[in-house]
Each structure stands twice: as structure tokens, then as C-alpha cells.
Amino acid sequence: MKAIVCRKWGQPSELTYESINRPALRKGEVLVQVQACSVNYPDMLLVAGKYQAKPEFPFIPGSDVAGIVCKAADDDSMYSPGDRVMTSIPHGGFAEYVSCPENRLIPIPEGMSLKSAAASMMVHGTSYYALKQRAKLKRGETLLVLGAAGGCGMAAVMLGKAMGAKVIAAASTQEKMAAALKAGADEVVQYTKVDLKKTVKQLTKKKGVDVIFDPVGGDFAQKAVRCMAWGGRYLVIGFAAGSIPKIPANLLLLKSCALVGVFWGAWVKRNPMGALQNMGEIAQMMQEGKLTDMVSKIYSLKDTWQALDDLKIEG
């Protein structure tokens, strides 16, 4: 089969397009013919050696896969050849075939395309889990989304609106704020140009926000915490800014708010039925026009390095 192989930490252009053997099936695994694999920020970090997980060389990057079942290792498998499935795996997705544990597969709901399934796994899956299970976002609450024009940020804007929240989108440029408004944000804040706390307090009539969705980290995290309402929930999604923030515990105490970690991949492994239910609800919201899959461009497997390089430039 053909695959994209990483043999050393470096730039996307240093990845190689190779012919290698198909993965061997072990007990409890299923072989899937990959039809689509999304390109996400963690993939770029993994290739550069900057992600928290560091596979042994050589390895195939790519995590969010949608495809068709070829065969299962076990006779009593719940999956049959031809079944449409999606999965999120640590790596291995940028290839023509992938083998993965059966308990990590999710059937693709009716009405959801293979491309939408691959594109929705990480961004919509993470964002919905964060807002639904971790923050328990309620209708009528106010949600502040940092990095609102990024993949997870944009998904959080759309999901927040679909769940009945008032959404304030924070982004760094006018173009990104326009994109957030198009996605459904009620208000936008250019947090690189204005005082974030002062502006958010004005928009919420001094109350503050009930939930903060933060995939960025960095210098704005502490400023964002100061925007919290009493009893608010601060969702730690990731650190796209490159630095892990240090948030003073006294701010959490004074506002009686919670700092909530979001590790979607680990939750999917621990609760596959919950993940399946979430993806079914995401598919339903897509059918109703409340969500879009945010597929911006489609690349061939051979051009995966270019997709990663374009993502780096856009970021």
C-alpha cells in the first residue's frame, strides 16, 4: 500500500510517500480501507516532534480516519466488509489502509459522508464533548470561544449556537472575526486590539461568561479567566499558542469557577457508546443545517505534506 512516512522530526516537506506492507491484523482488530483522513493541528505538531506523544520512527502520521471495513480479525466481530466506519487513532491514518482495535471504531451515521465523517471526528467531536459532557452548557448561558476561527473554535461557535447559548467569538484579525460571525457568533472581539476583560464585561452587562472554550492557551488565558461569571467553567482544550498558561488559583477561588480539562481521545476510548451517541447527534445537526463540516480543501494522499504545510501557513 501507499503511505506517508515520517522518519525524523522536521517539516512536512520532509515526509516521504512510500510503498509499504499493509498492516497485519491482530486479535480484536479490523482492517479499514481509508477513504478520507483529516489534517489537523496536532498532526503538524506530531511530525515536528512537538506533540506530547512521540512515536518510534518510522511512523505514519494522521489520526482521524473514515473508510470501509475490509475484514475483521475475529469471526464474531460486529463489523462486516463494506461497513462505513470512522475512528480516531494515535497515528497511522495517512495511508491506504489502517488496522485498529474494533472498540475504537464508530459506525458512520446515515446521511453523513465519508469526508464529513473524517473532518468532524476531531473538531466537532472534541468541541461537542467539551460543551456537552464537560461544561454541561445550558440554553441561555453565555459562551466565550477563544481562537474562534480555528477548527475546534469554529465548531464550538456553531455547536454553542445549536445548543442555545449566546456566543462571543474572540479572534485575532478582522477576517477571522468575519468568519466567526458567518458561523453564527452573536458578538465578536478582536482580542489582540482591545481589552478582553473590559469588552466582555460590557457585552455581558458586567455578569461575565458562563463557559470559556480555550484551544489557544498562552498569554490570553489569564485575561480570559478574569471574564468568568460566578460558577463558570473554563475548558482547557489545547495550547495552539505554543505555551502552557499558568492560571493563578486565587482567581478560580474568587469566582467559584472550575478549570476543566478536555481530552476527547481518551474519553472515546473509555466511553465508545457515548462517543457514538455524540457523533449521531452531530450528524443530525449537520442534516438540519446547524453545523457544517469545514472541509476547506481536498488533497491526494501523495500531497499530504502540502496539506500540512498549508495548515501551518494558515495558522
Side-chain angles (χ1 to χ4, degrees):
M1 71 172 187
K2 296 293 187 180
I4 298 296
V5 180
C6 182
R7 295 188 175 276
K8 63 179 181 178
W9 308 127
Q11 299 299 314
S13 59
E14 297 176 274
L15 296 170
T16 55
Y17 179 63
E18 303 180 16
S19 293
I20 62 174
N21 293 328
R22 287 188 190 181
L25 275 182
R26 293 176 293 187
K27 183 175 177 58
E29 291 187 336
V30 173
L31 181 68
V32 176
Q33 184 180 30
V34 178
Q35 300 295 306
C37 183
S38 64
V39 179
N40 297 291
Y41 186 70
D43 298 318
M44 189 172 64
L45 293 178
L46 185 67
V47 168
K50 296 179 180 179
Y51 197 58
Q52 53 259 40
K54 291 181 172 58
E56 292 184 5
F57 295 120
F59 69 90
I60 300 169
S63 60
D64 292 355
V65 168
I68 306 296
V69 170
C70 293
K71 61 180 179 180
D74 302 337
D75 293 336
D76 59 351
S77 171
M78 66 175 285
Y79 293 103
S80 302
D83 287 348
R84 303 188 325 143
V85 294
M86 53 186 171
T87 185
S88 185
I89 52 181
H91 52 85
F94 294 144
E96 292 179 327
Y97 294 88
V98 65
S99 61
C100 62
E102 181 172 314
N103 62 6
R104 296 200 70 155
L105 292 175
I106 299 174
I108 296 176
E110 290 294 326
M112 179 179 277
S113 71
L114 288 158
K115 290 184 178 67
S116 291
S120 300
M121 282 291 289
M122 183 173 291
V123 291
H124 288 100
T126 296
S127 300
Y128 195 38
Y129 166 61
L131 297 176
K132 178 186 174 185
Q133 274 88 9
R134 301 299 287 148
K136 295 180 171 55
L137 181 68
K138 302 180 183 66
R139 181 172 295 276
E141 289 190 317
T142 301
L143 167 67
L144 172 63
V145 180
L146 305 181
C152 282
M154 193 74 76
V157 169
M158 291 187 284
L159 285 162
K161 287 302 298 178
M163 296 169 75
K166 176 183 178 180
V167 178
I168 301 172
S172 59
T173 68
Q174 290 287 342
E175 292 78 12
K176 291 179 179 180
M177 289 195 300
L181 283 171
K182 187 176 180 180
D186 297 289
E187 306 282 355
V188 290
V189 177
Q190 190 174 359
Y191 53 6
T192 53
K193 297 290 187 181
V194 301
D195 184 299
L196 181 63
K197 176 185 175 182
K198 182 178 179 180
T199 304
V200 169
K201 288 290 187 179
Q202 289 173 344
L203 293 174
T204 59
K205 299 180 180 179
K206 298 184 179 181
K207 175 182 179 291
V209 297
D210 301 292
V211 176
I212 294 177
F213 182 97
D214 182 10
V216 180
D219 295 338
F220 287 100
Q222 187 176 145
K223 297 176 182 179
V225 172
R226 297 180 187 276
C227 301
M228 296 290 293
W230 177 264
R233 291 86 75 199
Y234 191 107
L235 296 168
V236 180
I237 311 297
F239 314 105
S243 61
I244 298 175
K246 295 178 175 59
I247 297 174
N250 65 307
L251 293 179
L252 307 178
L253 183 151
L254 292 172
K255 293 176 176 290
S256 194
C257 62
L259 197 62
V260 184
V262 178
F263 191 172
W264 174 73
W267 177 74
V268 170
K269 189 173 182 179
R270 292 168 179 263
N271 192 349
M273 294 309 297
L276 176 60
Q277 181 177 339
N278 276 12
M279 290 309 298
E281 292 170 7
I282 288 169
Q284 181 64 37
M285 286 186 273
M286 283 186 170
Q287 289 178 326
E288 294 171 356
K290 296 176 181 178
L291 301 179
T292 60
D293 58 20
M294 296 183 292
V295 176
S296 58
K297 192 172 180 180
I298 298 173
Y299 298 80
S300 67
L301 177 61
K302 187 176 182 180
D303 292 329
T304 298
W305 74 269
Q306 186 66 65
L308 288 164
D309 210 51
D310 290 349
L311 181 68
K312 179 178 66 175
I313 294 170
E314 291 170 6

